[in-house]
Amino acid sequence: MVLKAFFPTCCASADSGLLVGRWVPEQSSAVVLAVVHFPFIPIQVKELLAQVQQASQVGVTVLGTWCHRRQEPEESLGHFLEGLGAIFSHKPWFQLCRERGSKSWRCKATHWQGPASPATSGEDQVILIFYDQRKVLLSQLHPPTALPDCQAGDTTASAGGLAAVFDTVACSEALFQSDRFDEGPVRLSHWQSEGMETSILVELAKWAAGPVCLFLACLLSLISAASACRVFRLWPLSFIWSRLSTCEQLRHRLEQLTLIFSTRKAKNPTQLMRKANMLVSVLLDVALGLMLLSWLHRKDLIGQLADALIPVADHVAEELQHLLQWLMGAPAGLKMNRALDQVLGRFFLYHIHLWISYIHLMSPFIERILWHVGLSACLGLTVALSILSDIIALLTFHIYCFYVYGARLYCLKIRGLSSLWRLFRGKKWNVLRQRVDSCSYDLDQLFIGTLLFTILVFLLPTTALYYLVFTLLRLLVVAVQGLIHLLVDLINSLPLYSLGLRLCRPYRLAAGVKFRVLEHETGRPLRLLMQINPLPYSRVVHTYRLPTCGCHPKHSWGSLCRKLFFGELIYPWRQRGNKQD
Amino acid sequence: MEDEQSFSDICGGRLALQRRFYSPSCLEFCLSCPRITLRSLTAVTCTVWLAAYGLFTLCENSMILSAAIFITLLGLLGYLHFVKIDQETLLIIDSLGIQMTSSYASGKESTTFIEMGQVNDVVINEAIYMQKVIYYLCILLKDPVEPHGISQVVPVFQSAKPRLDCLIEVYRSCQDILAHQKATSTSP
């Protein structure tokens, strides 16, 4: 039978001693965690192992002996090492041996049958696998596919041989607490035996994090309480809050900040990563917003923008007026119904005139408003972009109104036409059965119905043209807003901390392992080096994506075309289900 | 112990199969694909630059020529780093697993390791590829829900695409190791 021994690379140059670790019988593999050096008292070693076992729930035992000598071991040492096998009985008993300064290793695994019958002890073939203990301790294994019927967190030792190795090393933190400068009874060698690694900044940050988190959590709870009570009191305000995307974004950020600064500790590494990703995302957002603010103020762009806003609004209104004049004439050579054309055209022209008057009324306050809005960029670039999207929505409100009027008119006409078409053929819509049934109409019903049908059919091109033009304009505005929302979503959901971790410390996020065969001599055991295979970037983004507001268009292209054809209003960004108009 | 043999792939190009025998339980197969030739590189570069020069004579804009140079350089770098595979390796270790490595022309290596507990079998399958019927070696993975079912088929040597004679060599050695592994795993 082939046994596998996982040996840490840091112990390859350690002095002789005992091998301490965990034996996994299902995988027939032994994971060596540390080396206990001579001299030691067996009772104290057993006590230490019992303590570690209690602290970490991992079955740590003495697995065998490790011999690091200059030349071939002497006979007395050989007997001494075998005698140790009798004290710490373990099946199988490993005897690893290495000549100092050379690359030749030797490994024997014996099943100790008892001192009375050494001849019946069997020897098995051993594969030595070297692993970097620090990297395996710090890394987190991501299984390739998560099956739907597997529970999350099902990384017990019985699931997958390599997950067992990772778990063993990760759970045995208690064993790695003592280093060689300690005055304890037992001397150990492992990855931290040269001294525990820590950083002053990290320790200070941990110590300061407690009170800071508490303070910020109280502040944030006050803010959210204040915003909650005001929204539900007045109806017009709550209606406006739900329309503006800025409020959505601010609420989202408030939720994220509450989660980051909550005093509850993260339960598992995934939650910790999520918190870290959110924090980095917020910090980047604020940094970009401050850069934008400084750029705007340096070139005094706010003043220029305020000066340019009114002429731009005037220009847009003028272009719309030209468009309506064109529609009222003979657009693209089509002949319109003169009376309806004039009515609709004049109605929309008057609407534009009203809009321009309101804009001119607001013009003295524009600069002040813009300056305050520009200040909000210090809350983050996403907030500034949301405000930009809202300003676009407000400035093109008249296009939205025209679209709604045109769509309602067209929808009414289409419904009337379909119903009268059914009458024309002698059928009726049965509301009870939700289907078309035949029906016998009176003569005067048929007469009036056919008359109305003819009128609607001949007025259809005019209405359809107005509807088409304003729908295209509305779709253009929606497309621009959509691009801005896409950018905001990107900043919100990109897991920057995970990507940075993957770039700088690729062993922390592991997709699996890879093996390399080291120099091999016949007669010696096979030696492999186990390295960590890092997660590809696409999987990092997919696994650690932050949840966003969920502003995705709910329609597929087919349903969108269907709604456009029948004149139903489209609400691409409304996820709350509130209907306007 | 190492030996090298020469085979051909499905298009007729020359492949070199290197077999390294580390121990009775560990075997490595290394398949080297034909390298990128100077002729093909020159042909592609000349085509791109002729097209760019033709556009330049039409438009009189020298940006087209610089753009063509950038496109050629970036295209070549992208091809070497993401597309052109130089060597494919299959490492089988008894009772540990099967590892597949692809080395790209720029030096990048991408590795996949499958644990032995997940491997059901290694078989040679037939497939219809464009207008040909080809053979390919693949690893069948076990279905965790159903003990004798198969959840996934992982093809090996996908970009080298050797012919049947090469595949039979690899298949025989893999089956030896898998049979040995099954025999030892069933015995206590």
Side-chain angles (χ1 to χ4, degrees):
Chain A
M1 204 163 73
V2 178
L3 299 174
K4 300 178 285 242
F6 289 87
F7 193 76
T9 45
C10 49
C11 297
S13 51
D15 288 329
S16 317
L18 281 180
L19 294 170
V20 157
R22 180 182 174 211
W23 166 250
V24 184
E26 301 94 29
Q27 321 287 334
S28 10
S29 53
V31 183
V32 175
L33 292 169
V35 173
V36 174
H37 295 295
F38 305 118
F40 58 83
I41 304 175
I43 304 285
Q44 286 174 340
V45 172
K46 286 189 182 168
E47 267 175 23
L48 174 73
L49 292 180
Q51 274 174 13
V52 170
Q53 198 156 346
Q54 206 179 24
S56 62
Q57 318 294 328
V58 170
V60 180
T61 54
V62 176
L63 293 170
T65 56
W66 161 241
C67 181
H68 193 199
R69 291 266 142 188
R70 195 167 296 281
Q71 59 273 1
E72 290 290 318
E74 304 97 11
E75 273 304 309
S76 55
L77 189 66
H79 282 305
F80 171 62
L81 291 174
E82 283 186 14
L84 283 172
I87 305 174
F88 302 101
S89 59
H90 184 264
K91 280 197 191 136
W93 184 251
F94 287 88
Q95 284 170 301
L96 276 157
C97 189
R98 180 191 175 190
E99 285 172 21
R100 200 176 279 272
S102 85
K103 286 211 171 79
S104 63
W105 289 65
R106 255 187 307 182
C107 185
K108 246 186 343 179
T110 51
H111 286 274
W112 192 252
Q113 301 292 342
S117 54
T120 56
S121 65
E123 277 193 23
D124 294 313
Q125 211 188 3
V126 182
I127 299 181
L128 270 175
I129 303 172
F130 297 104
Y131 70 97
D132 189 331
Q133 209 166 37
R134 176 172 171 267
K135 291 193 177 166
V136 169
L137 181 77
L138 291 173
S139 86
Q140 196 191 343
L141 205 55
H142 295 82
T145 44
L147 293 164
D149 48 0
C150 254
Q151 288 95 7
D154 193 13
T155 50
T156 50
S158 55
L162 292 162
V165 175
F166 278 75
D167 273 341
T168 309
V169 179
C171 296
S172 313
E173 291 258 11
L175 193 62
F176 304 135
Q177 295 299 328
S178 62
D179 55 24
R180 68 187 175 102
F181 303 106
D182 274 349
E183 297 296 328
V186 180
R187 261 196 327 134
L188 286 171
S189 238
H190 45 76
W191 71 279
Q192 270 190 343
S193 54
E194 296 300 318
M196 289 199 33
E197 63 169 43
T198 177
S199 141
I200 291 185
L201 289 173
V202 169
E203 294 298 316
L204 276 176
K206 278 192 201 164
W207 181 80
V212 166
C213 277
L214 203 61
F215 171 66
L216 283 171
C218 294
L219 200 66
L220 288 168
S221 59
L222 276 173
I223 295 177
S224 38
S227 69
C229 73
R230 199 165 62 144
V231 159
F232 289 121
R233 225 188 315 161
L234 305 164
W235 176 80
L237 275 175
S238 70
F239 181 72
I240 293 175
W241 289 159
S242 64
R243 291 274 144 244
L244 292 176
S245 60
T246 314
C247 302
E248 272 301 316
Q249 180 62 22
L250 282 172
R251 194 176 317 168
H252 185 238
R253 278 286 182 235
L254 194 66
E255 269 171 28
Q256 282 189 335
L257 284 172
T258 321
L259 189 65
I260 296 172
F261 292 117
S262 77
T263 43
R264 278 197 322 262
K265 274 189 122 32
K267 282 191 272 284
N268 53 23
T270 318
Q271 279 193 1
L272 192 66
M273 287 287 260
R274 182 174 283 200
K275 271 194 178 182
N277 279 327
M278 280 185 195
L279 185 66
V280 173
S281 163
V282 167
L283 287 175
L284 180 78
D285 203 12
V286 169
L288 285 174
L290 288 172
M291 267 170 49
L292 180 73
L293 199 62
S294 71
W295 179 68
L296 283 177
H297 276 270
R298 195 176 334 139
K299 301 216 177 169
D300 193 28
L301 275 177
I302 297 214
Q304 288 177 14
L305 207 68
D307 288 337
L309 203 64
I310 303 294
V312 161
D314 273 343
H315 179 71
V316 167
E318 220 178 277
E319 289 298 318
L320 269 178
Q321 276 172 340
H322 282 259
L323 183 71
L324 283 167
Q325 298 286 356
W326 180 66
L327 281 175
M328 274 160 62
L334 297 168
K335 189 165 189 309
M336 309 255 91
N337 181 296
R338 196 125 185 88
L340 184 62
D341 217 358
Q342 295 286 324
V343 162
L344 286 176
R346 290 226 190 98
F347 172 66
F348 289 136
L349 277 172
Y350 183 63
H351 205 109
I352 293 178
H353 173 78
L354 274 179
W355 182 249
I356 290 298
S357 321
Y358 284 137
I359 293 273
H360 279 275
L361 212 65
M362 286 257 294
S363 59
F365 309 112
I366 292 280
E367 174 150 8
R368 191 75 57 81
I369 293 176
L370 271 181
W371 190 82
H372 282 106
V373 157
L375 264 190
S376 71
C378 66
L379 285 173
L381 184 67
T382 47
V383 177
L385 284 174
S386 313
I387 290 183
L388 180 69
S389 158
D390 286 335
I391 287 179
I392 290 178
L394 284 174
L395 281 182
T396 56
F397 189 64
H398 48 327
I399 295 182
Y400 179 62
C401 285
F402 290 171
Y403 162 71
V404 171
Y405 300 150
R408 285 275 189 245
L409 213 59
Y410 178 75
C411 181
L412 221 62
K413 186 174 283 268
I414 291 285
R415 285 218 205 118
L417 269 176
S418 57
S419 158
L420 289 172
W421 171 245
R422 283 192 285 265
L423 180 139
F424 196 62
R425 291 183 302 150
K427 298 209 190 291
K428 194 178 84 156
W429 174 254
N430 191 340
V431 183
L432 215 59
R433 296 285 186 101
Q434 294 287 315
R435 66 171 187 201
V436 177
D437 277 339
S438 63
C439 168
S440 61
Y441 290 101
D442 295 337
L443 195 63
D444 42 357
Q445 280 175 331
L446 276 175
F447 182 63
I448 295 192
T450 314
L451 206 63
L452 285 174
F453 177 72
T454 325
I455 293 174
L456 283 179
V457 161
F458 287 133
L459 289 180
L460 186 63
T462 315
T463 330
L465 193 70
Y466 273 91
Y467 173 65
L468 185 72
V469 168
F470 292 130
T471 309
L472 285 174
L473 280 174
R474 171 77 185 139
L475 285 179
L476 186 70
V477 171
V478 162
V480 169
Q481 274 192 298
L483 278 172
I484 296 179
H485 277 259
L486 214 65
L487 194 59
V488 167
D489 257 355
L490 187 72
I491 299 180
N492 269 345
S493 71
L494 204 62
L496 286 163
Y497 177 72
S498 307
L499 285 173
L501 206 63
R502 167 66 183 86
L503 194 66
C504 306
R505 305 253 186 278
Y507 57 84
R508 291 281 295 265
L509 302 166
V513 295
K514 50 188 179 196
F515 291 93
R516 211 180 68 190
V517 183
L518 299 173
E519 282 174 25
H520 179 66
E521 302 160 32
T522 43
R524 304 282 192 206
L526 183 67
R527 293 183 306 142
L528 300 168
L529 177 66
M530 182 172 93
Q531 290 164 316
I532 296 192
N533 203 11
L535 213 53
Y537 287 101
S538 52
R539 270 198 69 195
V540 172
V541 171
H542 183 74
T543 319
Y544 290 109
R545 261 183 88 134
L546 295 169
T548 57
C549 309
C551 307
H552 296 297
K554 286 202 168 59
H555 322 291
S556 62
W557 288 109
S559 73
L560 187 71
C561 290
R562 204 181 138 272
K563 284 198 173 186
L564 283 175
F565 184 70
F566 284 114
E568 290 167 25
L569 289 173
I570 43 175
Y571 302 103
W573 311 117
R574 298 292 163 249
Q575 64 268 31
R576 302 214 176 260
N578 294 343
K579 280 212 180 355
Q580 202 181 12
D581 238 307
Chain B
M1 196 167 91
E2 222 180 273
D3 68 354
E4 188 164 328
Q5 276 174 293
S6 174
F7 291 97
S8 64
D9 68 5
I10 54 173
C11 304
R14 274 204 51 206
L15 294 174
L17 178 73
Q18 256 184 344
R19 184 189 358 216
R20 287 194 205 106
F21 180 83
Y22 293 112
S23 86
S25 58
C26 180
L27 208 57
E28 188 175 26
F29 290 98
C30 196
L31 206 56
S32 311
C33 308
R35 304 281 174 126
I36 185 170
T37 56
L38 192 60
R39 192 186 302 177
S40 58
L41 190 62
T42 322
V44 171
T45 315
C46 285
T47 324
V48 171
W49 283 359
L50 273 173
Y53 199 71
L55 269 176
F56 170 68
T57 46
L58 274 171
C59 303
E60 306 289 335
N61 191 354
S62 64
M63 282 289 290
I64 295 182
L65 295 177
S66 347
I69 295 178
F70 269 127
I71 290 174
T72 316
L73 275 174
L74 286 175
L76 184 67
L77 283 175
Y79 178 71
L80 290 179
H81 193 72
F82 293 112
V83 176
K84 179 82 184 77
I85 294 185
D86 254 354
Q87 223 180 42
E88 283 186 307
T89 313
L90 184 74
L91 175 69
I92 306 183
I93 308 168
D94 189 7
S95 81
L96 203 58
I98 304 182
Q99 173 171 291
M100 294 165 295
T101 312
S102 308
S103 319
Y104 290 83
S106 64
K108 175 173 102 158
E109 279 189 7
S110 111
T111 319
T112 321
F113 179 74
I114 303 173
E115 291 183 52
M116 206 44 115
Q118 289 181 336
V119 172
N120 193 343
D121 206 357
V122 171
V123 294
I124 297 183
N125 257 351
E126 279 180 329
I128 298 180
Y129 180 72
M130 306 280 234
Q131 80 283 11
K132 301 193 257 257
V133 174
I134 60 166
Y135 297 97
Y136 66 100
L137 190 73
C138 58
I139 304 175
L140 303 174
L141 299 185
K142 278 188 193 152
D143 196 3
V145 174
E146 204 191 330
H148 293 290
I150 292 167
S151 73
Q152 218 183 338
V153 171
V154 180
V156 178
F157 299 139
Q158 263 188 303
S159 76
K161 298 196 193 71
R163 289 198 179 164
L164 192 59
D165 42 6
C166 177
L167 290 177
I168 289 179
E169 288 285 332
V170 180
Y171 173 78
R172 283 214 185 101
S173 316
C174 291
Q175 285 295 332
D176 282 339
I177 293 191
L178 282 180
H180 180 251
Q181 193 261 329
K182 283 204 175 86
T184 50
S185 71
T186 47
S187 66

